Structures are given as C-alpha cells and as structure tokens.
Amino acid sequence: LAAAPAPPRGFAPPPPPGGDAALWREVESGHRLLLRSVKARFPQLEDASLATLPVTMARRPPAPGDAAPGPAVATYLRVNVEQLVAARDARDPNWLEVTAGTRPPRGGVP
C-alpha cells in the first residue's frame, strides 16, 4: 500500500481520540493559546506568520449535562508564538517602540 498523502499546508488534523481533556487543560493553563488569544495578545502578527506555526486542534470537553464537546478550535504552543514574536520584533525596531509606548502606532493619536 502507498503511504497516505501529506495534508495540505495550513491543514490541522483532528484532535486525537480521548486527548481533548488533556489538550484543553493545556489551553486553560496557558501552555497552549487559542487563535483569538494569539491575535489579542500579539496584534503585530500577520495571518501569514501564524500559518508557519504548527497547529493542534482541541475541543472543550463537555460540561456536566452537555451532550457533546464544543467545536474543534486551533491551538498554538505559547513557546512557539513567543519565539515567532521575538524574531519579528528583532526585525522591526519600530514595533518595539510602539509596544514600549514611546512611539504611537500608525494612524494612532500621539
């Protein structure tokens, strides 16, 4: 039998069976970040930059009384995101001034 083709770039495989609870604990502890958290904390990251990071899909386990777990959401390792931000900031000293508050963002009020 031939090996299965590799998934297309940007495609995240489904979460492993039974691994939802463990993955979600990583999200709750801050070890993993949801996409919306990454965008809120690091607005300087473009979607193209995020697409270079490995993605793991996770589902919020069902709460007592719920019939099913929540929808699958993309999660990123915090360490990977922070390394990407550090590399980007090193290339863009103006952004460091913006985050330090010494330079207004483009279109911002001084």
Side-chain angles (χ1 to χ4, degrees):
L1 292 177
R9 186 179 180 119
F11 172 81
D20 288 335
L23 284 172
W24 199 256
R25 279 193 299 274
E26 290 183 11
V27 171
E28 289 175 337
S29 71
H31 186 67
R32 290 193 161 278
L33 300 173
L34 299 176
L35 178 60
R36 68 175 179 241
S37 301
V38 171
K39 289 187 175 248
R41 292 180 187 166
F42 308 105
Q44 70 271 36
L45 289 181
E46 300 88 14
D47 289 341
S49 296
L50 286 174
T52 64
L53 295 177
V55 176
T56 301
M57 300 303 285
R59 286 189 176 99
R60 180 187 306 261
D66 286 351
V73 292
T75 66
Y76 301 88
L77 281 174
R78 174 186 286 276
V79 118
N80 291 346
V81 174
E82 289 172 348
Q83 287 174 348
L84 183 64
V85 169
R88 186 204 183 276
D89 287 351
R91 290 189 311 267
D92 188 358
N94 290 337
W95 182 253
L96 293 177
E97 292 176 24
V98 171
T99 57
T102 58
R103 177 187 190 112
R106 185 179 308 156
V109 178

